[in-house]
Amino acid sequence: MTIDTKDMLNSILSSISRIDYVRPDDIPNIDLYMDQVTTFMEKELASSKRHEDDKILTKTMINNYAKNNLLPPPVKKKYSKEHLLVMIFIYYFKNFLSIKDIETMLTPITDKYFDTDKDFDITSIYKEVCELEKSRIPEFEKEIIRSYNTSKKSFVEVPEDDRDSLQLFAFICNLSFDIYVKKQIVEKLLDNFPDLLHSEKKNSNKKDSNKDTKKKK
């Protein structure tokens, strides 16, 4: 049986071009109960499911996120717009990061920017990150095409009956290696994340101290 990898590639590229994110304006400005949260997430993130019966978020998941300090606790059993934005971050990160790594990454952000009266908050961060990621889609499409073309040059000397499946295997390996390397980088960055934040805080305090000293002069 011949594997039409070209059609499959076109289908993949088409799905990538349609990748979008949940916009903050689409999230209700009123606090939601748990059932309302899971219903909203199921609707808004349905396109990211691999299988129809996959669950986006369940009550158990949300409770565990709060217990593990990934998510600030609800207020009177209700979740704010900012809660939902943090849940969306968690939803994507949990595909390739451990709960501990997600906590390491999100805790400094939620501690400083969650439920703040400042203009720059969780919503601001979410928008900036999502727009940055959205802008990278054309770059990803080109990289996938390069990976596909590279795989098509492999196993050229094997019998034709086996070539398609082995080239598909090579294509999957190419993409998987990319994920593996990036995951290693992310984990290495997270291992140093607390120290990096501490260093930045010290530098910031030092700058503020210098400013105060100059003012006194």
Side-chain angles (χ1 to χ4, degrees):
M1 178 179 168
T2 302
I3 303 171
D4 196 337
T5 50
K6 191 69 174 177
D7 281 352
M8 183 177 59
L9 175 66
N10 289 333
S11 175
I12 291 169
L13 293 174
S14 177
S15 65
I16 289 174
S17 68
R18 294 194 300 271
I19 289 176
D20 207 346
Y21 62 95
V22 180
R23 283 163 172 73
D25 291 344
D26 294 335
I27 300 176
N29 279 317
I30 57 170
D31 294 346
L32 304 176
Y33 285 108
M34 179 83 80
D35 286 339
Q36 294 172 308
V37 171
T38 55
T39 300
F40 176 83
M41 292 299 206
E42 281 291 330
K43 175 177 174 289
E44 294 298 324
L45 296 173
S47 62
S48 66
K49 291 201 284 188
R50 183 179 181 185
H51 304 294
E52 187 63 32
D53 58 350
D54 287 346
K55 291 293 182 184
I56 300 294
L57 278 175
T58 64
K59 294 179 183 180
T60 302
M61 288 179 192
I62 295 172
N63 284 330
N64 285 338
Y65 297 156
K67 286 178 184 176
N68 284 286
N69 301 316
L70 272 67
L71 184 70
V75 178
K76 296 180 180 179
K77 297 184 178 181
K78 285 188 173 184
Y79 296 86
S80 67
K81 183 174 187 174
E82 289 192 322
H83 276 109
L84 269 67
L85 294 176
V86 175
M87 286 184 212
I88 293 171
F89 275 130
I90 295 170
Y91 172 72
Y92 286 113
F93 290 144
K94 73 185 180 73
N95 286 288
F96 57 93
L97 290 177
S98 68
I99 293 297
K100 184 64 180 173
D101 280 342
I102 299 173
E103 180 189 354
T104 299
M105 189 170 183
L106 287 182
T107 298
I109 304 299
T110 53
D111 282 352
K112 187 171 183 179
Y113 300 107
F114 188 92
D115 195 24
T116 178
D117 55 2
K118 297 178 181 177
D119 290 336
F120 192 80
D121 55 10
I122 286 287
T123 302
S124 306
I125 293 172
Y126 177 85
K127 281 182 178 178
E128 186 86 14
V129 169
C130 287
E131 286 170 10
L132 174 65
E133 291 173 352
K134 181 79 173 171
S135 71
R136 296 190 62 209
I137 288 178
E139 174 189 334
F140 278 127
E141 290 173 333
K142 290 176 183 176
E143 181 56 39
I144 290 169
I145 292 170
R146 279 196 295 270
S147 184
Y148 170 78
N149 290 334
T150 300
S151 69
K152 292 301 287 183
K153 295 174 183 176
S154 64
F155 299 109
V156 290
E157 295 182 5
V158 302
E160 192 172 345
D161 289 346
D162 298 330
R163 192 180 305 149
D164 281 348
S165 58
L166 287 172
Q167 288 178 341
L168 175 59
F169 178 73
F171 183 35
I172 294 170
C173 287
N174 257 346
L175 297 175
S176 299
F177 181 69
D178 190 48
I179 295 168
Y180 170 76
V181 171
K182 288 179 179 176
K183 186 172 183 288
Q184 293 284 311
I185 295 170
V186 169
E187 289 173 346
K188 182 63 69 176
L189 290 171
L190 285 172
D191 288 343
N192 295 284
F193 198 48
D195 291 338
L196 178 63
L197 290 176
H198 182 66
S199 174
E200 287 183 347
K201 189 173 181 179
K202 279 179 66 178
N203 289 336
S204 176
N205 290 339
K206 191 174 180 181
K207 287 179 182 177
D208 291 340
S209 177
N210 290 338
K211 285 180 183 178
D212 291 339
T213 303
K214 287 179 181 178
K215 285 178 181 178
K216 289 177 181 177
K217 290 180 179 180

